[in-house]
Amino acid sequence: MATTSKKTTPKKATTAKSAPKANPAAKAKAAPKKPAAAKSKAAPNAKAAAKPAAKSAAKKPAAKKPAVKRTRKVEANVAPAEVEVAVVAAPIKTVPAPSPIKEYKPDVIESKWQAQWEQDELYRAVIDPSRKKYYALTMLPYPSGDLHIGHWYAMTPSDARARYMRMNGYNVMFPIGFDAFGLPAENAAIKRGVHPKTWTYANVDRMRKQLRSMGAMWDWEREAVSADPEYYKWTEWFFAQFFKHGLAYKKLSPVDWCPNCNTTLAREQVWGDDRHCERCGTPVIKKDLDQWYFKITNYAEELLDFTTIDWPERVKTLQTNWIGKSEGAHVTFKTERGDDIVVFTTRPDTLWGATFMVLAPEHPLVDQLTAPDQRGEVDEYIATATRQTDIQREATDKEKSGVFIGAYAINPVNGARIPIWIADYVLMTYGTGAIMAVPGHDKRDFDFALKFGLPVLPVIDRNDGLTKSFALGGTMNEGFAQALKDAEIPFFDRMGSLYITIPFEKVDRYIEISKHFVRPDSWNEIVGTRWLFIFADGVKEWNSVEAGRGIFARCKELEPDVRSKRTIMEMLWSVEFYHDALYHDEYGPIINSNEFTGTPGDVAKSKVIKWLEEKGIGKGAVNYRLRDWLISRQRYWGAPIPIIYCPEHGQVAVPDDQLPVLLPDDVEWKPTGESPLKLHPTWKHTTCPICGQAAERDTDTMDTFMCSSWYHLRYLSPKYNQGPFDPDEYNYWMPVDCYTGGIEHATMHLIYTRFFHKALRDIGVAQGGEPMTQLRNQGMVLGEDNEKMSKSRGNVVAPDELVNKYGADVVRAYLMFIAQWSQGGPWNSKGIEGPARWMNRVWNIAMPSEHPAAASDPAAEKALRRAVHQAIKKVTDDMNAFEFNTIIAAMMSLTNKLYDYRAATEGSAAWNEAIETYLKLLAPIVPHITEELWAQRGHGYSIHQQAWPQYDPAAAAEDLITLVVQINGKVRDRIEAAADIGEDEAKAKALSSETVQKFMDGKEPRLIKYVPGKLVSIVV
Ligand SMILES: [Zn+2]
Ligand SMILES: [Zn+2]
């Protein structure tokens, strides 16, 4: 039996996982179930695990150092959950002998412990129903080359957190794998002339070694590589399932195409205003291709619901905006010829202000509707518009362009005949490709109307009551200004013209005055809340497009200057003073809209929708910006799409027993614009699974986001071959309890994986609505120049060199110290020296010393315990909050205190407790040095199986003393303060006392004296 032997025992006989079962006490407490390992068919080592469990139980009494399983009540402020946790303590075998070294040599101890942990499978995670599980997941890397510091930044704090959960009694699984298909690997291989497979797997090997150097608690038995046939068999299987369940479909559609990478790109793979390829920076072009899509839009509404998951607000907001839900109505307009044109509008309450209509240049009706005399102009415009990208077309600061097509539609709510235009700011891909233009309350429509002289009509009242009038010099008779002053209507006079902002309650009074003073050869107008034109012979309301035309015609007669304008709004817009009053897009009471005039803003939309539905003109509708997920890629290095095209049966999914459809090695994988698999002489030729006739395979491969949408499920049982995962493993480990990774995945991977899970639930493969309960994002490590690290900037930090120079523990500690994890920050090559010195101090203070024990000093021992327990509290709270930088700061501070108290307490129980606790608190952060020091101090292997230290509030409490506060020699107050309060703090505390402030009566203190521990004396 391992624990009695001096020699190294066979690997499988000493696995950590068998420990809880080995202990008779534990057995008694555990639920009367079969050992988990025996039950779990999937665990590759299940048989190996079950056997030693029985053996070790039988031989337990002979153990020299009996394994102890401690059970403790965890307080709410200690562990994230109030659970009875069982902490696995030293269960196994020979305690490895400490190194004979007395100096801190990270290279020696780190490789030693990494080998030891691996040999003992210390971090192997297996099903154990008696313990609470914790699935900690960090985003899997692309094997595109060397591991970079960003991987370390993402993974080592995640590892520390996983270790912390383990020390809190959770059965923690922390797996790792490789996202091995995809463009980055393929492009790199193309550059080097190496087969993508060769190149990828060489990188995987290299990165495995690099990942091992982190000293992370990876369970390597669960490693999954997405390019392995036993992995992508199931990626294909999922595709076939989606196809069978109506969630995958094929359609011809214009796609973004990178002419350099020769592949399709999804919307999120096209970056920047110039719309360049995410991978290579080349501007993308449009191309029509027959493509596979997943119906992610079926889940748009459900994806907006985050109520059951603890994800960062930023991610939720990014996803919400990405999904882009808007509520409104579909409204049917008829053309004069009788065609139906359906528009989607979020503002049905503004329908009466729809004065023209705009179609996307690609709209199918454009060709039929265009009048012969407009044909040339229209065709030219379409050719220009379609060359542009959607982003260019939608840019709000862009000069508006468009063409009238010579046709009219009828506004169904008021019968108005409105012109139909085409313009590039309307996209076929949003809504229906047609809009009703309401220039009074939509900025783009407003700009468009002003530019092209189209009518504008305000139909929504302002909520702010802003009402203005501009009286041009010479338009009003003498005494107008005085009359305004008398009426207390404010204005300012500039060169004889009056600029008047009319208080809302005085608008009627203003009309009276204006009517009285306006000259017969001129007019005065009011804009904002009222739209009135005051002529000497009467007031005209601008309450319809026709009324506006009539008023404007009269203005043109009176004033030659406005004859160059085309509309009444264009005339008003020429007065800059009016700009803020002429346009708004808020909800408000409806005006100028027949029977809806006066409808309050908060019910306007719903009332109009109801009315539209009653009249059969329209229907309430929801629109999403989210598009279906484009899956097809015309590339080689990906999972083949498992579809066969039969002349008779059309699209047929490859049957399960014929999966995987293997990727052939002998392919010309360099991009030609055609799918490489299509060019293979034989690969695509097959037979129909239904009729056996000659048929062809789909020659595209899948988007690699497909592989990464389910890798957390493959980790459950990477070698399982009865399904994508072992249901037993699924039932125990899922969902992922904590997922960590970069925020840049918010709208890609993190939406796809949620969709994937929901689809699997509906197919009946998975349960629950969400795959990952908690998500936390790290920030980015920047270069020393505060810029993003890149080879071209020469600011890249190579983790391997740092590990060689300082050791993994120092790199880990520095990365956690550098900045708030969620924010990230710049690398500092001098900054890392701090943690390097600190590790030496950790080493020196925790190494057992030969000093004789200090004489008993109860006060110092108490103070030491206080420091230790305050640190437990701080580190525990910060671990729960993922605040690693403050953990390091607190532990550095505790290190200083240990040095302070060493002379007075060394050798005492308090000292030993302090050092043990100190090492345990550090263990998740710096796993190697703590393991070595733990062994050096003679404790059982391993520190990583110890229980997290418990916080004792009584021990942490500060001693309190009472300070007397005197003002001018008289005792005025007594305040409580910590025993070790400093002078500045004591003075500040005294001054902030309410009683003291009362006696000081607002006077400034002239002098404050502090008698330590006794008195604060203030002279005023
Ligand atoms: Zn590209
Ligand atoms: Zn067939």
Side-chain angles (χ1 to χ4, degrees), residues 258 260-261 277 279-282:
C258 173
N260 181 45
C261 297
C277 167
R279 305 294 184 200
C280 73
T282 307

Side-chain angles (χ1 to χ4, degrees), residues 644-650 652 687-695:
I644 291 167
Y645 301 94
C646 167
E648 196 183 330
H649 295 100
V652 183
T687 51
C688 170
I690 300 170
C691 66
Q693 288 184 65

Side-chain angles (χ1 to χ4, degrees), residues 853-855 857 859-862 864 898 900-912 914:
D857 181 344
E861 285 163 23
K862 192 175 177 192
L864 175 63
L898 290 173
D900 291 347
Y901 290 114
R902 181 178 203 162
T905 63
E906 189 160 18
S908 67
W911 174 258
N912 290 332

